[in-house]
Amino acid sequence: MTRRATLAALTALALPLARAAAKLPANRNVKWALGSNLWNYFPRVPFTDITEAAGIKFKHVNGAFGKKLLPETMGSGVAFLDFDNDGKQDLLFINSRPWPGDSSGPVPTMALYRNKGDGTFEDVTEKMGLNVPLYGMGVTVGDFDNDGWVDIFVTAIGGCKLFRNDGGKRFVDVTAEAGVGGGGVWPGASFRSSSCSLSSVSAARVGPAGCADFA
């Protein structure tokens, strides 16, 4: 988001608060202002849960098994992106996975949902080559090769992943050739008595050549 867009968003949030504050009686004390009547001065913005109706079935798995490991509290991430350049915002949900030694069921993966344009989404994770098990910690999107198609960068325990968008038809793992894996490895079977490092949520910026850089 650009600086101008950020300022515009903050202004849009601040104006209703300022208008509401102007309506508060001047002779009321702080104790009254903190009471339940305060909310009568603010605009009501109702939200409706349409997750199921929209076809979103994603469930986050943090791999917790009772040891209360720090990464279990930090994942995962979500990105809005138009991966097929149809003008509609699609959704990418980043998932974690069970720790080594836990084989309680199928290993979950991230989930990519294509916006069908009618208020519903289609799960195209496997079709687009993103059914990759990761202990994801964050995600960012950007066109790193400047080909007009948005790419995906995921931070994860065990190493980051860069997926290049192949013309909206499929995502290709180009982590190794791009040199952005971070050098991490997924912990082995002895993990339960060892420690590990993790990557944090990443960000994207536009470089001088018009390509997106990841940091």
Side-chain angles (χ1 to χ4, degrees), residues 35 40 57 75 127 177 181 205:
N40 294 329
K57 300 178 181 179
K127 175 183 176 182
E177 60 188 84
R205 65 181 176 84

Side-chain angles (χ1 to χ4, degrees), residues 62-75:
N62 66 4
F65 61 97
K67 296 297 183 179
K68 299 182 179 180
L69 300 175
L70 181 61
E72 297 167 0
T73 69
M74 300 177 65

Side-chain angles (χ1 to χ4, degrees), residues 79-85 89-90 112 128 140-153 162-168 170-171 212 214:
F80 286 86
L81 71 163
D82 182 10
F83 77 88
D84 52 1
N85 281 355
Q89 290 296 299
D90 310 299
L112 177 64
M128 295 302 297
T140 190
V141 297
D143 184 8
F144 82 92
D145 53 0
N146 204 27
D147 65 351
W149 298 90
V150 65
D151 310 297
I152 299 170
F153 185 74
L162 176 62
F163 298 95
R164 180 178 61 82
N165 190 335
D166 185 13
R170 192 170 180 82
F171 283 94
F214 298 104

